[in-house]
PDB file of all heavy atoms in Angstrom:
ATOM      1  N   LYS A   1      55.429  24.239  82.659  1.00  0.00           N
ATOM      2  CA  LYS A   1      55.134  25.216  83.737  1.00  0.00           C
ATOM      3  C   LYS A   1      56.332  25.383  84.656  1.00  0.00           C
ATOM      4  O   LYS A   1      56.600  26.479  85.065  1.00  0.00           O
ATOM      5  CB  LYS A   1      53.893  24.769  84.500  1.00  0.00           C
ATOM      6  CG  LYS A   1      52.549  24.839  83.744  1.00  0.00           C
ATOM      7  CD  LYS A   1      52.089  26.321  83.760  1.00  0.00           C
ATOM      8  CE  LYS A   1      50.744  26.423  83.076  1.00  0.00           C
ATOM      9  NZ  LYS A   1      50.388  27.849  82.884  1.00  0.00           N
ATOM     10  N   GLN A   2      56.971  24.273  84.957  1.00  0.00           N
ATOM     11  CA  GLN A   2      58.102  24.350  85.884  1.00  0.00           C
ATOM     12  C   GLN A   2      59.297  25.132  85.217  1.00  0.00           C
ATOM     13  O   GLN A   2      59.964  25.907  85.872  1.00  0.00           O
ATOM     14  CB  GLN A   2      58.554  22.964  86.329  1.00  0.00           C
ATOM     15  CG  GLN A   2      57.473  22.310  87.209  1.00  0.00           C
ATOM     16  CD  GLN A   2      57.959  21.067  87.907  1.00  0.00           C
ATOM     17  OE1 GLN A   2      58.485  20.132  87.322  1.00  0.00           O
ATOM     18  NE2 GLN A   2      57.759  21.022  89.205  1.00  0.00           N
ATOM     19  N   ILE A   3      59.486  24.942  83.925  1.00  0.00           N
ATOM     20  CA  ILE A   3      60.524  25.689  83.228  1.00  0.00           C
ATOM     21  C   ILE A   3      60.162  27.208  83.347  1.00  0.00           C
ATOM     22  O   ILE A   3      61.051  28.011  83.569  1.00  0.00           O
ATOM     23  CB  ILE A   3      60.600  25.281  81.700  1.00  0.00           C
ATOM     24  CG1 ILE A   3      61.059  23.826  81.544  1.00  0.00           C
ATOM     25  CG2 ILE A   3      61.541  26.219  80.941  1.00  0.00           C
ATOM     26  CD1 ILE A   3      60.934  23.296  80.127  1.00  0.00           C
ATOM     27  N   GLY A   4      58.906  27.547  83.136  1.00  0.00           N
ATOM     28  CA  GLY A   4      58.462  28.931  83.249  1.00  0.00           C
ATOM     29  C   GLY A   4      58.695  29.519  84.645  1.00  0.00           C
ATOM     30  O   GLY A   4      59.187  30.626  84.756  1.00  0.00           O
ATOM     31  N   ASN A   5      58.326  28.724  85.668  1.00  0.00           N
ATOM     32  CA  ASN A   5      58.508  29.225  87.036  1.00  0.00           C
ATOM     33  C   ASN A   5      59.933  29.422  87.389  1.00  0.00           C
ATOM     34  O   ASN A   5      60.278  30.380  88.136  1.00  0.00           O
ATOM     35  CB  ASN A   5      57.857  28.246  87.998  1.00  0.00           C
ATOM     36  CG  ASN A   5      56.341  28.270  87.955  1.00  0.00           C
ATOM     37  OD1 ASN A   5      55.775  29.352  87.575  1.00  0.00           O
ATOM     38  ND2 ASN A   5      55.667  27.242  88.402  1.00  0.00           N
ATOM     39  N   VAL A   6      60.862  28.582  86.843  1.00  0.00           N
ATOM     40  CA  VAL A   6      62.262  28.785  87.098  1.00  0.00           C
ATOM     41  C   VAL A   6      62.746  30.039  86.382  1.00  0.00           C
ATOM     42  O   VAL A   6      63.574  30.762  86.925  1.00  0.00           O
ATOM     43  CB  VAL A   6      63.062  27.505  86.644  1.00  0.00           C
ATOM     44  CG1 VAL A   6      64.582  27.764  86.583  1.00  0.00           C
ATOM     45  CG2 VAL A   6      62.780  26.354  87.557  1.00  0.00           C
ATOM     46  N   ALA A   7      62.173  30.314  85.225  1.00  0.00           N
ATOM     47  CA  ALA A   7      62.527  31.558  84.520  1.00  0.00           C
ATOM     48  C   ALA A   7      62.140  32.799  85.250  1.00  0.00           C
ATOM     49  O   ALA A   7      62.618  33.901  84.931  1.00  0.00           O
ATOM     50  CB  ALA A   7      61.836  31.529  83.104  1.00  0.00           C
ATOM     51  N   ALA A   8      61.304  32.659  86.235  1.00  0.00           N
ATOM     52  CA  ALA A   8      60.849  33.831  87.091  1.00  0.00           C
ATOM     53  C   ALA A   8      61.709  34.014  88.327  1.00  0.00           C
ATOM     54  O   ALA A   8      61.456  34.933  89.137  1.00  0.00           O
ATOM     55  CB  ALA A   8      59.391  33.632  87.432  1.00  0.00           C
ATOM     56  N   LEU A   9      62.738  33.152  88.553  1.00  0.00           N
ATOM     57  CA  LEU A   9      63.535  33.310  89.754  1.00  0.00           C
ATOM     58  C   LEU A   9      64.511  34.474  89.646  1.00  0.00           C
ATOM     59  O   LEU A   9      65.000  34.769  88.514  1.00  0.00           O
ATOM     60  CB  LEU A   9      64.385  31.988  90.005  1.00  0.00           C
ATOM     61  CG  LEU A   9      63.568  30.781  90.450  1.00  0.00           C
ATOM     62  CD1 LEU A   9      64.460  29.519  90.488  1.00  0.00           C
ATOM     63  CD2 LEU A   9      62.941  30.985  91.847  1.00  0.00           C
ATOM     64  N   PRO A  10      64.786  35.158  90.753  1.00  0.00           N
ATOM     65  CA  PRO A  10      65.668  36.337  90.724  1.00  0.00           C
ATOM     66  C   PRO A  10      67.040  35.965  90.251  1.00  0.00           C
ATOM     67  O   PRO A  10      67.637  34.996  90.765  1.00  0.00           O
ATOM     68  CB  PRO A  10      65.672  36.799  92.165  1.00  0.00           C
ATOM     69  CG  PRO A  10      64.419  36.205  92.804  1.00  0.00           C
ATOM     70  CD  PRO A  10      64.239  34.927  92.119  1.00  0.00           C
ATOM     71  N   GLY A  11      67.603  36.787  89.386  1.00  0.00           N
ATOM     72  CA  GLY A  11      69.057  36.660  89.027  1.00  0.00           C
ATOM     73  C   GLY A  11      69.340  35.626  87.907  1.00  0.00           C
ATOM     74  O   GLY A  11      70.482  35.444  87.556  1.00  0.00           O
ATOM     75  N   ILE A  12      68.240  35.032  87.362  1.00  0.00           N
ATOM     76  CA  ILE A  12      68.493  34.050  86.280  1.00  0.00           C
ATOM     77  C   ILE A  12      68.958  34.768  85.013  1.00  0.00           C
ATOM     78  O   ILE A  12      68.526  35.891  84.728  1.00  0.00           O
ATOM     79  CB  ILE A  12      67.254  33.200  85.997  1.00  0.00           C
ATOM     80  CG1 ILE A  12      67.542  32.082  84.988  1.00  0.00           C
ATOM     81  CG2 ILE A  12      66.062  34.057  85.517  1.00  0.00           C
ATOM     82  CD1 ILE A  12      66.436  31.047  84.828  1.00  0.00           C
ATOM     83  N   VAL A  13      69.864  34.132  84.285  1.00  0.00           N
ATOM     84  CA  VAL A  13      70.413  34.732  82.989  1.00  0.00           C
ATOM     85  C   VAL A  13      70.215  33.714  81.849  1.00  0.00           C
ATOM     86  O   VAL A  13      70.021  32.505  82.136  1.00  0.00           O
ATOM     87  CB  VAL A  13      71.891  35.127  83.076  1.00  0.00           C
ATOM     88  CG1 VAL A  13      72.094  36.236  84.074  1.00  0.00           C
ATOM     89  CG2 VAL A  13      72.766  33.910  83.502  1.00  0.00           C
ATOM     90  N   GLY A  14      70.284  34.242  80.651  1.00  0.00           N
ATOM     91  CA  GLY A  14      70.143  33.328  79.471  1.00  0.00           C
ATOM     92  C   GLY A  14      68.693  32.866  79.366  1.00  0.00           C
ATOM     93  O   GLY A  14      67.785  33.657  79.179  1.00  0.00           O
ATOM     94  N   ARG A  15      68.492  31.548  79.490  1.00  0.00           N
ATOM     95  CA  ARG A  15      67.148  30.972  79.405  1.00  0.00           C
ATOM     96  C   ARG A  15      67.003  29.872  80.441  1.00  0.00           C
ATOM     97  O   ARG A  15      67.995  29.272  80.812  1.00  0.00           O
ATOM     98  CB  ARG A  15      66.918  30.368  77.997  1.00  0.00           C
ATOM     99  CG  ARG A  15      67.105  31.387  76.863  1.00  0.00           C
ATOM    100  CD  ARG A  15      66.900  30.784  75.510  1.00  0.00           C
ATOM    101  NE  ARG A  15      67.909  29.729  75.177  1.00  0.00           N
ATOM    102  CZ  ARG A  15      67.993  29.095  74.020  1.00  0.00           C
ATOM    103  NH1 ARG A  15      67.108  29.406  73.070  1.00  0.00           N
ATOM    104  NH2 ARG A  15      68.854  28.200  73.745  1.00  0.00           N
ATOM    105  N   SER A  16      65.757  29.607  80.843  1.00  0.00           N
ATOM    106  CA  SER A  16      65.499  28.405  81.614  1.00  0.00           C
ATOM    107  C   SER A  16      65.385  27.286  80.651  1.00  0.00           C
ATOM    108  O   SER A  16      64.589  27.278  79.748  1.00  0.00           O
ATOM    109  CB  SER A  16      64.218  28.594  82.413  1.00  0.00           C
ATOM    110  OG  SER A  16      63.831  27.412  83.049  1.00  0.00           O
ATOM    111  N   VAL A  17      66.295  26.264  80.793  1.00  0.00           N
ATOM    112  CA  VAL A  17      66.451  25.197  79.782  1.00  0.00           C
ATOM    113  C   VAL A  17      65.839  23.867  80.182  1.00  0.00           C
ATOM    114  O   VAL A  17      66.131  23.339  81.286  1.00  0.00           O
ATOM    115  CB  VAL A  17      67.941  24.994  79.445  1.00  0.00           C
ATOM    116  CG1 VAL A  17      68.127  23.914  78.392  1.00  0.00           C
ATOM    117  CG2 VAL A  17      68.580  26.298  78.968  1.00  0.00           C
ATOM    118  N   GLY A  18      64.987  23.298  79.349  1.00  0.00           N
ATOM    119  CA  GLY A  18      64.434  21.969  79.530  1.00  0.00           C
ATOM    120  C   GLY A  18      65.057  21.057  78.550  1.00  0.00           C
ATOM    121  O   GLY A  18      65.032  21.257  77.335  1.00  0.00           O
ATOM    122  N   LEU A  19      65.723  19.965  79.028  1.00  0.00           N
ATOM    123  CA  LEU A  19      66.369  19.015  78.160  1.00  0.00           C
ATOM    124  C   LEU A  19      65.424  17.889  77.760  1.00  0.00           C
ATOM    125  O   LEU A  19      64.373  17.726  78.372  1.00  0.00           O
ATOM    126  CB  LEU A  19      67.667  18.496  78.899  1.00  0.00           C
ATOM    127  CG  LEU A  19      68.643  19.711  79.031  1.00  0.00           C
ATOM    128  CD1 LEU A  19      69.477  19.561  80.228  1.00  0.00           C
ATOM    129  CD2 LEU A  19      69.430  19.832  77.758  1.00  0.00           C
ATOM    130  N   PRO A  20      65.731  17.047  76.771  1.00  0.00           N
ATOM    131  CA  PRO A  20      64.725  16.129  76.239  1.00  0.00           C
ATOM    132  C   PRO A  20      64.168  15.100  77.207  1.00  0.00           C
ATOM    133  O   PRO A  20      63.139  14.513  76.977  1.00  0.00           O
ATOM    134  CB  PRO A  20      65.477  15.433  75.109  1.00  0.00           C
ATOM    135  CG  PRO A  20      66.565  16.305  74.768  1.00  0.00           C
ATOM    136  CD  PRO A  20      66.977  17.027  76.012  1.00  0.00           C
ATOM    137  N   ASP A  21      64.935  14.813  78.281  1.00  0.00           N
ATOM    138  CA  ASP A  21      64.481  13.824  79.270  1.00  0.00           C
ATOM    139  C   ASP A  21      63.633  14.498  80.390  1.00  0.00           C
ATOM    140  O   ASP A  21      63.438  13.855  81.457  1.00  0.00           O
ATOM    141  CB  ASP A  21      65.653  13.058  79.865  1.00  0.00           C
ATOM    142  CG  ASP A  21      66.829  13.976  80.272  1.00  0.00           C
ATOM    143  OD1 ASP A  21      66.827  15.135  79.897  1.00  0.00           O
ATOM    144  OD2 ASP A  21      67.671  13.507  81.050  1.00  0.00           O
ATOM    145  N   ILE A  22      63.208  15.707  80.159  1.00  0.00           N
ATOM    146  CA  ILE A  22      62.526  16.463  81.255  1.00  0.00           C
ATOM    147  C   ILE A  22      61.230  15.765  81.729  1.00  0.00           C
ATOM    148  O   ILE A  22      60.483  15.237  80.906  1.00  0.00           O
ATOM    149  CB  ILE A  22      62.256  17.891  80.780  1.00  0.00           C
ATOM    150  CG1 ILE A  22      61.788  18.796  81.957  1.00  0.00           C
ATOM    151  CG2 ILE A  22      61.260  17.990  79.608  1.00  0.00           C
ATOM    152  CD1 ILE A  22      61.869  20.254  81.628  1.00  0.00           C
ATOM    153  N   HIS A  23      61.020  15.797  83.033  1.00  0.00           N
ATOM    154  CA  HIS A  23      59.731  15.379  83.570  1.00  0.00           C
ATOM    155  C   HIS A  23      59.566  16.066  84.933  1.00  0.00           C
ATOM    156  O   HIS A  23      60.564  16.536  85.538  1.00  0.00           O
ATOM    157  CB  HIS A  23      59.635  13.854  83.719  1.00  0.00           C
ATOM    158  CG  HIS A  23      60.770  13.213  84.522  1.00  0.00           C
ATOM    159  ND1 HIS A  23      62.028  13.136  84.042  1.00  0.00           N
ATOM    160  CD2 HIS A  23      60.753  12.630  85.717  1.00  0.00           C
ATOM    161  CE1 HIS A  23      62.770  12.485  84.941  1.00  0.00           C
ATOM    162  NE2 HIS A  23      62.030  12.209  85.986  1.00  0.00           N
ATOM    163  N   SER A  24      58.321  16.168  85.399  1.00  0.00           N
ATOM    164  CA  SER A  24      57.970  16.934  86.596  1.00  0.00           C
ATOM    165  C   SER A  24      58.820  16.503  87.801  1.00  0.00           C
ATOM    166  O   SER A  24      58.998  15.326  88.039  1.00  0.00           O
ATOM    167  CB  SER A  24      56.493  16.798  86.934  1.00  0.00           C
ATOM    168  OG  SER A  24      55.743  17.248  85.813  1.00  0.00           O
ATOM    169  N   GLY A  25      59.265  17.467  88.563  1.00  0.00           N
ATOM    170  CA  GLY A  25      59.996  17.220  89.795  1.00  0.00           C
ATOM    171  C   GLY A  25      59.664  18.181  90.900  1.00  0.00           C
ATOM    172  O   GLY A  25      58.748  19.014  90.716  1.00  0.00           O
TER     173      GLY A  25
END
């Protein structure tokens, strides 16, 4: 969900990327 919310921020390009050690912050 957090990856998705970051993808909604203004001006983001490419993709919102989650790396294998990802955990909620």
Side-chain angles (χ1 to χ4, degrees):
K1 287 281 182 188
Q2 293 193 307
I3 295 170
N5 286 337
V6 168
L9 288 173
I12 187 170
V13 294
R15 303 179 295 184
S16 173
V17 178
L19 294 150
D21 47 345
I22 191 165
H23 55 289
S24 299

